[in-house]
Amino acid sequence: MKYTCEICGYTYDPAEGDVMHNIAAGTSFENLPADWTCPVCGVGKDQFKPAE
Amino acid sequence: MKAVKITDKVYWVGAIDWNIRDFHGYSTKQGTTYNAFLILSEKPTLIDTVKKEFYPEMMARIQSVIDPKKIKIIISNHSEMDHSGALPETVAAVQPEEVYCSDMGHVDLSAQLYPDFEMKVVKTGDKIDVGGDTISFVEARMLHWPDSMFSYLEKENILFTNDVFGMHYATSKLFDDENNEIDWLYEAEKYYANIVLPYSDIVLRFLDTVTKMGLSPKIIAPDHGFIWRKDPSKIINLYAKWAAQAPKNKAVVVYDTMWGSTQKMAEYIADGLREGGTEVKLMSMHSCHRSDVVTELLDSSGLIIGSPVLNSEIFPAMADVLCYLKGLKKKNLVGGAFGSYGWNPAPVNSLAEMLKAMKVEQVAPVVSSKFVPNAEVLQQCRQLGLTVSQKIAEKLK
């Protein structure tokens, strides 16, 4: 499932992963490290909500 | 204090801060302006305010064209306090019918100003009638704060862009056609590098969105520096270029030195880069400001960092600039690291971790010197410069 940052609107797509933080494609949002941060605005996972 | 006419219906009513030299850690050698705009429609509208202490200047400029109490609408395009600091006093004096901001603007203004007035949230595509003209809104999240918003005055064809397309440049000449590029280009680059750079991907997407929306503003009015009325495409094209971060054959060597050893190493590295055909900027943190380092890095492809060791740590001024550069997320860099130590080489070697954290591709081992570099170490330094130069050349192919 995709998750969207409530602060800046960035959407984490598990199919893409996060190149900036060396997160491999296929990594679910739940499996992102606890200290993972939004690659755009820098906030933590707790600021993300499931994308509509 | 007088307002400055932009069109028959729109006036600049901001303030000029000739004296500011440190803008939250960014050196502003030419001062800045805080731009606010007054639209003399049937419902007079104010777009943004100024830094709190410049409230009297803004009000005097408004007073020169209209009784401030006639203002019916205030729009906050950006909540940062150099544009919202005077908002509470302005609202108290003007008693407008409406204050508009973005969704995140509501959150951010609330947490900064603790306002005792209502703010109405507008979203992309929303329009308001200002009497005789219409303002439409475009949210510009992270350009450069979550709340950032553009307001477009339709009939006058003016796009008010908050901090985007601005620069810290105090001038009595408030229009692009009155200023010489040689005077402002570095300040525009510096603004991009220090404020907008980490959001370059968003800039590229946003420019595309604005084009698709069919917006082709005759005038671009940012919140700092002058107004683009003769050639707004000039700054749009510069943004497209800076946001692309296309590699150029240029490198920055940034270092600090304690007893001259790391400086000597830096000079040999710079000479290796030059020999390889790469333009190089050698920047000592004794002499250069962090905000100028990132400005030089904006169009560079190489970054080489050097530090001596003090109390088993890297030098404080290097920790400062590396923290700053990491946050600004310049892309497409190759580089290396070097430094002199007395008895503990670990801090110099730790610079490799810094490069990694900054996403700089390290293309050669760290060069370190026990105390003063000998001929062999200086040759390694020259080779480091040559290697980085060769890697840059490969990227440019």
Side-chain angles (χ1 to χ4, degrees):
Chain A
M1 187 195 281
K2 294 180 187 176
Y3 277 72
T4 298
C5 175
E6 296 257 284
I7 304 301
C8 72
Y10 162 83
T11 296
Y12 177 76
D13 182 353
E16 290 179 12
D18 171 13
V19 176
M20 193 166 132
H21 291 113
N22 300 317
I23 302 292
T27 307
S28 69
F29 184 81
E30 290 75 15
N31 284 336
L32 289 171
D35 61 355
W36 179 82
T37 55
C38 174
V40 176
C41 73
V43 299
K45 284 178 78 174
D46 58 339
Q47 302 280 342
F48 280 71
K49 293 272 154 60
E52 285 169 12
Chain B
M1 297 282 184
K2 301 280 189 193
V4 177
K5 193 185 227 183
I6 302 172
T7 67
D8 284 344
K9 288 195 176 154
V10 182
Y11 285 78
W12 174 86
V13 291
I16 305 177
D17 191 345
W18 295 99
N19 298 321
I20 190 166
R21 290 294 178 271
D22 181 336
F23 193 97
H24 61 48
Y26 160 170
S27 88
T28 47
K29 290 173 193 161
Q30 300 205 63
T32 195
T33 70
Y34 311 110
N35 297 339
F37 303 98
L38 181 64
I39 301 162
L40 296 181
S41 47
E42 286 157 35
K43 294 182 188 172
T45 299
L46 180 66
I47 298 187
D48 284 323
T49 66
V50 294
K51 206 172 175 182
K52 190 175 170 60
E53 56 264 43
F54 290 86
Y55 168 78
E57 182 174 336
M58 179 190 74
M59 285 306 261
R61 293 191 196 280
I62 294 171
Q63 187 77 55
S64 74
V65 285
I66 188 180
D67 174 2
K69 284 193 164 31
K70 290 188 174 163
I71 292 172
K72 296 278 186 278
I73 296 167
I74 300 180
I75 295 165
S76 169
N77 274 339
H78 185 25
S79 72
E80 196 165 6
M81 281 192 263
D82 50 334
H83 310 294
S84 73
L87 183 60
E89 267 182 283
T90 308
V91 170
V94 166
Q95 298 289 316
E97 288 172 6
E98 310 285 2
V99 177
Y100 292 102
C101 61
S102 69
D103 191 9
M104 294 311 290
H106 197 281
V107 173
D108 292 352
L109 286 166
S110 298
Q112 290 175 92
L113 306 173
Y114 299 93
D116 59 0
F117 49 87
E118 293 291 314
M119 299 177 290
K120 275 198 172 166
V121 168
V122 284
K123 292 184 161 37
T124 296
D126 285 354
K127 291 173 189 278
I128 58 167
D129 176 14
V130 294
D133 209 335
T134 301
I135 291 177
S136 54
F137 299 101
V138 186
E139 287 171 87
R141 277 198 187 189
M142 300 320 292
L143 292 179
H144 67 112
W145 271 22
D147 69 284
S148 300
M149 182 169 80
F150 288 14
S151 297
Y152 177 59
L153 184 62
E154 295 186 351
K155 278 190 190 162
E156 296 287 303
N157 201 4
I158 302 177
L159 188 61
F160 300 92
T161 58
N162 83 76
D163 280 345
V164 180
F165 306 130
M167 67 186 82
H168 288 314
Y169 182 64
T171 174
S172 62
K173 298 176 286 188
L174 282 166
F175 298 97
D176 55 347
D177 49 283
E178 298 174 332
N179 288 279
N180 297 316
E181 186 170 323
I182 198 167
D183 295 326
W184 60 258
L185 184 59
Y186 184 80
E187 298 306 335
E189 285 179 315
K190 189 170 185 175
Y191 195 88
Y192 188 91
N194 282 274
I195 304 289
V196 188
L197 178 58
Y199 312 113
S200 291
D201 290 348
I202 299 175
V203 169
L204 292 174
R205 281 205 301 273
F206 193 76
L207 290 176
D208 192 43
T209 303
V210 168
T211 308
K212 281 181 184 152
M213 287 171 80
L215 292 188
S216 179
K218 190 177 74 181
I219 296 173
I220 284 181
D223 275 356
H224 295 291
F226 52 77
I227 295 146
W228 304 87
R229 71 176 174 190
K230 186 179 176 217
D231 187 12
S233 66
K234 176 107 195 164
I235 191 70
I236 292 173
N237 291 337
L238 283 170
Y239 263 56
K241 181 181 114 178
W242 294 328
Q245 300 186 52
K248 179 182 159 186
N249 200 348
K250 177 181 170 186
V252 173
V253 180
V254 57
Y255 72 97
D256 205 342
T257 199
M258 191 166 167
W259 292 107
S261 293
T262 307
Q263 177 168 343
K264 196 166 185 188
M265 295 172 81
E267 287 164 357
Y268 274 77
I269 291 165
D271 211 49
L273 282 158
R274 185 203 53 76
E275 195 183 329
T278 298
E279 176 190 350
V280 57
K281 288 282 176 181
L282 190 52
M283 305 188 86
S284 154
M285 293 316 292
H286 260 42
S287 312
C288 300
H289 196 270
R290 65 178 88 81
S291 56
D292 290 310
V293 174
V294 70
T295 308
E296 289 296 345
L297 201 58
L298 178 62
D299 65 351
S300 295
S301 303
L303 172 65
I304 305 183
I305 59 176
S307 180
V309 176
L310 180 69
N311 303 324
S312 288
E313 297 286 350
I314 62 167
F315 237 48
M318 283 310 296
D320 174 321
V321 72
L322 294 176
C323 171
Y324 194 69
L325 294 179
K326 180 169 170 263
L328 289 168
K329 298 179 182 168
K330 171 74 174 84
K331 288 184 181 172
N332 303 335
L333 292 173
V334 296
F338 65 100
S340 162
Y341 64 94
W343 50 92
N344 182 2
V348 175
N349 291 325
S350 78
L351 292 173
E353 293 302 312
M354 300 277 194
L355 290 174
K356 197 176 170 196
M358 289 191 281
K359 313 284 176 199
V360 179
E361 184 195 344
Q362 188 185 343
V363 296
V366 175
V367 178
S368 63
S369 174
K370 185 169 175 69
F371 287 114
V372 177
N374 59 23
E376 188 190 340
V377 169
L378 293 176
Q379 175 55 27
Q380 288 170 5
C381 289
R382 192 181 141 276
Q383 187 55 51
L384 172 59
L386 272 170
T387 304
V388 171
S389 180
Q390 282 160 5
K391 292 288 176 185
I392 292 173
E394 281 170 24
K395 282 184 74 165
L396 289 170
K397 271 180 194 165

